[in-house]
PDB file of all heavy atoms in Angstrom:
ATOM      1  N   ARG B 593      42.893  66.773  33.765  1.00 98.00           N
ATOM      2  CA  ARG B 593      42.218  65.432  33.596  1.00 98.00           C
ATOM      3  C   ARG B 593      42.083  65.120  32.200  1.00 98.00           C
ATOM      4  O   ARG B 593      42.388  63.998  31.713  1.00 98.00           O
ATOM      5  CB  ARG B 593      40.856  65.410  34.455  1.00 98.00           C
ATOM      6  CG  ARG B 593      40.188  64.156  34.275  1.00 98.00           C
ATOM      7  CD  ARG B 593      38.874  64.077  35.160  1.00 98.00           C
ATOM      8  NE  ARG B 593      37.972  65.110  34.734  1.00 98.00           N
ATOM      9  CZ  ARG B 593      37.072  65.063  33.724  1.00 98.00           C
ATOM     10  NH1 ARG B 593      37.137  63.998  32.972  1.00 98.00           N
ATOM     11  NH2 ARG B 593      36.264  66.040  33.443  1.00 98.00           N
ATOM     12  N   LYS B 594      41.558  66.019  31.442  1.00 98.00           N
ATOM     13  CA  LYS B 594      41.236  65.831  30.031  1.00 98.00           C
ATOM     14  C   LYS B 594      42.556  65.588  29.223  1.00 98.00           C
ATOM     15  O   LYS B 594      42.651  64.824  28.439  1.00 98.00           O
ATOM     16  CB  LYS B 594      40.456  66.971  29.566  1.00 98.00           C
ATOM     17  CG  LYS B 594      39.504  66.485  28.342  1.00 98.00           C
ATOM     18  CD  LYS B 594      38.342  65.681  28.921  1.00 98.00           C
ATOM     19  CE  LYS B 594      37.779  64.750  27.831  1.00 98.00           C
ATOM     20  NZ  LYS B 594      36.816  63.754  28.368  1.00 98.00           N
ATOM     21  N   PHE B 595      43.510  66.331  29.541  1.00 98.00           N
ATOM     22  CA  PHE B 595      44.792  66.283  28.988  1.00 98.00           C
ATOM     23  C   PHE B 595      45.333  64.838  29.134  1.00 98.00           C
ATOM     24  O   PHE B 595      45.869  64.202  28.173  1.00 98.00           O
ATOM     25  CB  PHE B 595      45.745  67.255  29.702  1.00 98.00           C
ATOM     26  CG  PHE B 595      47.177  67.153  29.200  1.00 98.00           C
ATOM     27  CD1 PHE B 595      47.621  67.497  27.912  1.00 98.00           C
ATOM     28  CD2 PHE B 595      48.313  66.664  30.052  1.00 98.00           C
ATOM     29  CE1 PHE B 595      48.893  67.354  27.435  1.00 98.00           C
ATOM     30  CE2 PHE B 595      49.446  66.527  29.675  1.00 98.00           C
ATOM     31  CZ  PHE B 595      49.849  66.848  28.466  1.00 98.00           C
ATOM     32  N   ALA B 596      45.276  64.354  30.438  1.00 98.00           N
ATOM     33  CA  ALA B 596      45.709  62.933  30.579  1.00 98.00           C
ATOM     34  C   ALA B 596      44.851  61.903  29.814  1.00 98.00           C
ATOM     35  O   ALA B 596      45.392  60.981  29.267  1.00 98.00           O
ATOM     36  CB  ALA B 596      45.817  62.619  32.079  1.00 98.00           C
ATOM     37  N   GLU B 597      43.694  62.115  29.912  1.00 98.00           N
ATOM     38  CA  GLU B 597      42.691  61.254  29.222  1.00 98.00           C
ATOM     39  C   GLU B 597      43.011  61.186  27.753  1.00 98.00           C
ATOM     40  O   GLU B 597      42.990  60.062  27.087  1.00 98.00           O
ATOM     41  CB  GLU B 597      41.217  61.506  29.537  1.00 98.00           C
ATOM     42  CG  GLU B 597      40.817  61.360  30.854  1.00 98.00           C
ATOM     43  CD  GLU B 597      39.400  61.868  31.213  1.00 98.00           C
ATOM     44  OE1 GLU B 597      38.711  62.352  30.266  1.00 98.00           O
ATOM     45  OE2 GLU B 597      38.883  61.723  32.418  1.00 98.00           O
ATOM     46  N   LEU B 598      43.271  62.218  27.142  1.00 98.00           N
ATOM     47  CA  LEU B 598      43.561  62.255  25.659  1.00 98.00           C
ATOM     48  C   LEU B 598      44.895  61.532  25.462  1.00 98.00           C
ATOM     49  O   LEU B 598      45.047  60.906  24.387  1.00 98.00           O
ATOM     50  CB  LEU B 598      43.553  63.707  25.120  1.00 98.00           C
ATOM     51  CG  LEU B 598      42.244  64.417  25.126  1.00 98.00           C
ATOM     52  CD1 LEU B 598      42.282  65.759  24.746  1.00 98.00           C
ATOM     53  CD2 LEU B 598      41.224  63.656  24.257  1.00 98.00           C
ATOM     54  N   GLU B 599      45.734  61.699  26.264  1.00 98.00           N
ATOM     55  CA  GLU B 599      47.019  60.930  26.119  1.00 98.00           C
ATOM     56  C   GLU B 599      46.856  59.450  26.204  1.00 98.00           C
ATOM     57  O   GLU B 599      47.554  58.604  25.581  1.00 98.00           O
ATOM     58  CB  GLU B 599      48.139  61.411  27.131  1.00 98.00           C
ATOM     59  CG  GLU B 599      48.607  62.783  26.895  1.00 98.00           C
ATOM     60  CD  GLU B 599      49.203  63.007  25.512  1.00 98.00           C
ATOM     61  OE1 GLU B 599      50.079  62.141  25.252  1.00 98.00           O
ATOM     62  OE2 GLU B 599      48.806  63.919  24.790  1.00 98.00           O
ATOM     63  N   ILE B 600      45.920  59.044  27.106  1.00 97.00           N
ATOM     64  CA  ILE B 600      45.617  57.573  27.252  1.00 97.00           C
ATOM     65  C   ILE B 600      45.127  57.131  25.875  1.00 97.00           C
ATOM     66  O   ILE B 600      45.503  56.062  25.401  1.00 97.00           O
ATOM     67  CB  ILE B 600      44.535  57.302  28.137  1.00 97.00           C
ATOM     68  CG1 ILE B 600      44.880  57.713  29.566  1.00 97.00           C
ATOM     69  CG2 ILE B 600      44.157  55.734  28.216  1.00 97.00           C
ATOM     70  CD1 ILE B 600      43.837  57.393  30.708  1.00 97.00           C
ATOM     71  N   ILE B 601      44.205  57.867  25.261  1.00 96.00           N
ATOM     72  CA  ILE B 601      43.561  57.447  23.983  1.00 96.00           C
ATOM     73  C   ILE B 601      44.714  57.300  22.896  1.00 96.00           C
ATOM     74  O   ILE B 601      44.711  56.305  22.180  1.00 96.00           O
ATOM     75  CB  ILE B 601      42.503  58.432  23.431  1.00 96.00           C
ATOM     76  CG1 ILE B 601      41.320  58.511  24.503  1.00 96.00           C
ATOM     77  CG2 ILE B 601      42.059  58.194  22.113  1.00 96.00           C
ATOM     78  CD1 ILE B 601      40.428  57.227  24.390  1.00 96.00           C
ATOM     79  N   LYS B 602      45.580  58.255  22.883  1.00 95.00           N
ATOM     80  CA  LYS B 602      46.654  58.218  21.847  1.00 95.00           C
ATOM     81  C   LYS B 602      47.493  56.875  22.120  1.00 95.00           C
ATOM     82  O   LYS B 602      47.819  56.141  21.144  1.00 95.00           O
ATOM     83  CB  LYS B 602      47.613  59.357  22.061  1.00 95.00           C
ATOM     84  CG  LYS B 602      47.057  60.629  21.467  1.00 95.00           C
ATOM     85  CD  LYS B 602      48.149  61.786  21.570  1.00 95.00           C
ATOM     86  CE  LYS B 602      47.528  63.218  21.608  1.00 95.00           C
ATOM     87  NZ  LYS B 602      48.406  64.132  22.030  1.00 95.00           N
ATOM     88  N   SER B 603      47.824  56.662  23.374  1.00 94.00           N
ATOM     89  CA  SER B 603      48.591  55.547  23.817  1.00 94.00           C
ATOM     90  C   SER B 603      47.965  54.337  23.416  1.00 94.00           C
ATOM     91  O   SER B 603      48.581  53.298  22.961  1.00 94.00           O
ATOM     92  CB  SER B 603      49.038  55.704  25.250  1.00 94.00           C
ATOM     93  OG  SER B 603      49.797  54.656  25.656  1.00 94.00           O
ATOM     94  N   GLU B 604      46.613  54.186  23.726  1.00 92.00           N
ATOM     95  CA  GLU B 604      45.848  52.948  23.531  1.00 92.00           C
ATOM     96  C   GLU B 604      45.787  52.641  21.902  1.00 92.00           C
ATOM     97  O   GLU B 604      45.934  51.566  21.542  1.00 92.00           O
ATOM     98  CB  GLU B 604      44.550  53.078  24.083  1.00 92.00           C
ATOM     99  CG  GLU B 604      43.840  51.748  24.189  1.00 92.00           C
ATOM    100  CD  GLU B 604      42.507  51.898  25.141  1.00 92.00           C
ATOM    101  OE1 GLU B 604      41.509  52.286  24.514  1.00 92.00           O
ATOM    102  OE2 GLU B 604      42.591  51.586  26.231  1.00 92.00           O
ATOM    103  N   LYS B 605      45.663  53.798  21.214  1.00 91.00           N
ATOM    104  CA  LYS B 605      45.684  53.468  19.710  1.00 91.00           C
ATOM    105  C   LYS B 605      46.942  52.976  19.250  1.00 91.00           C
ATOM    106  O   LYS B 605      47.016  52.102  18.327  1.00 91.00           O
ATOM    107  CB  LYS B 605      45.323  54.856  18.957  1.00 91.00           C
ATOM    108  CG  LYS B 605      43.888  55.345  19.089  1.00 91.00           C
ATOM    109  CD  LYS B 605      43.417  56.147  18.095  1.00 91.00           C
ATOM    110  CE  LYS B 605      41.849  56.447  18.118  1.00 91.00           C
ATOM    111  NZ  LYS B 605      41.567  57.769  17.716  1.00 91.00           N
ATOM    112  N   ARG B 606      48.050  53.507  19.705  1.00 91.00           N
ATOM    113  CA  ARG B 606      49.376  53.051  19.356  1.00 91.00           C
ATOM    114  C   ARG B 606      49.476  51.570  19.695  1.00 91.00           C
ATOM    115  O   ARG B 606      50.012  50.810  18.997  1.00 91.00           O
ATOM    116  CB  ARG B 606      50.389  53.857  20.007  1.00 91.00           C
ATOM    117  CG  ARG B 606      51.763  53.493  19.787  1.00 91.00           C
ATOM    118  CD  ARG B 606      52.608  54.731  19.139  1.00 91.00           C
ATOM    119  NE  ARG B 606      53.998  54.223  19.227  1.00 91.00           N
ATOM    120  CZ  ARG B 606      54.505  53.343  18.333  1.00 91.00           C
ATOM    121  NH1 ARG B 606      53.776  52.652  17.509  1.00 91.00           N
ATOM    122  NH2 ARG B 606      55.754  53.076  18.458  1.00 91.00           N
ATOM    123  N   LEU B 607      49.045  51.222  20.915  1.00 90.00           N
ATOM    124  CA  LEU B 607      49.190  49.847  21.492  1.00 90.00           C
ATOM    125  C   LEU B 607      48.439  48.907  20.485  1.00 90.00           C
ATOM    126  O   LEU B 607      49.029  47.860  20.148  1.00 90.00           O
ATOM    127  CB  LEU B 607      48.562  49.730  22.847  1.00 90.00           C
ATOM    128  CG  LEU B 607      49.505  49.622  24.091  1.00 90.00           C
ATOM    129  CD1 LEU B 607      48.570  49.530  25.277  1.00 90.00           C
ATOM    130  CD2 LEU B 607      50.210  48.242  23.872  1.00 90.00           C
TER     131      LEU B 607
END
Side-chain angles (χ1 to χ4, degrees):
Chain B
R593 175 176 62 80
K594 213 65 203 174
F595 172 68
E597 289 175 2
L598 293 174
E599 290 301 307
I600 297 177
I601 295 291
K602 288 184 203 169
S603 180
E604 196 168 84
K605 286 202 169 144
R606 176 124 169 70
L607 251 177

